[in-house]
Amino acid sequence: MASSIEFSRTQPLNPSGPRPDGERPGGNLSVRLAAVDGDLAVVKVDGELDLSTVALLEAVLAPLPGRGIRHLLLAAEGLRFCDATGFRALAEVHAALAAAGGGLVVADPSPALRRLTWLMQRFSAAPAVPTAPADPHERRARLPSGP
């Protein structure tokens, strides 16, 4: 069964000062449930995941385990920015899915997201958020398997 639901927000909820790259936080975020196949969901994210947009991501991802989803592939090639708040939300989803015998895998993370993942795992108690191989045919094989 495939489904497609898209949510987006283009106005920041709480804009603040510029980020180190000079951009202002609170940009656009689009979260789309691209496909569902059994207990696997593919969610595509585009834009900026930060304090002002994390609620949108959580609103889309939180109901998935209740729908029988145990494995989540997050297609992140369009995710231009992710702060620690966004990463923490991904880590919490991963931990919830792992408790059900599944997990979250980030596909095509930007170099900045890879670095943030490394830093968060090294210097905090955040659970690991694995990344998928670049080859889409290898991704399904790398998803965590249940009991």
Side-chain angles (χ1 to χ4, degrees), residues 39-124:
D39 65 351
L40 168 67
V42 177
V43 174
K44 183 172 170 66
V45 293
D46 294 296
E48 300 179 6
L49 177 57
D50 58 25
L51 179 61
S52 68
T53 60
V54 72
L56 173 64
L57 180 82
E58 291 169 336
V60 174
L61 300 185
L64 295 178
R67 293 177 56 188
I69 301 300
R70 293 186 314 138
H71 304 284
L72 178 61
L73 180 66
L74 190 79
E77 63 271 7
L79 189 62
R80 296 184 308 274
F81 177 80
C82 180
D83 69 3
T85 306
F87 180 83
R88 175 74 60 181
L90 295 175
E92 288 172 0
V93 169
H94 176 62
L97 293 170
L104 176 145
V105 175
V106 178
D108 302 319
S110 68
L113 183 55
R114 283 185 188 277
R115 178 151 174 79
L116 179 61
T117 300
W118 180 82
L119 288 169
M120 292 295 289
Q121 291 170 359
R122 182 169 170 97
F123 299 112
S124 77

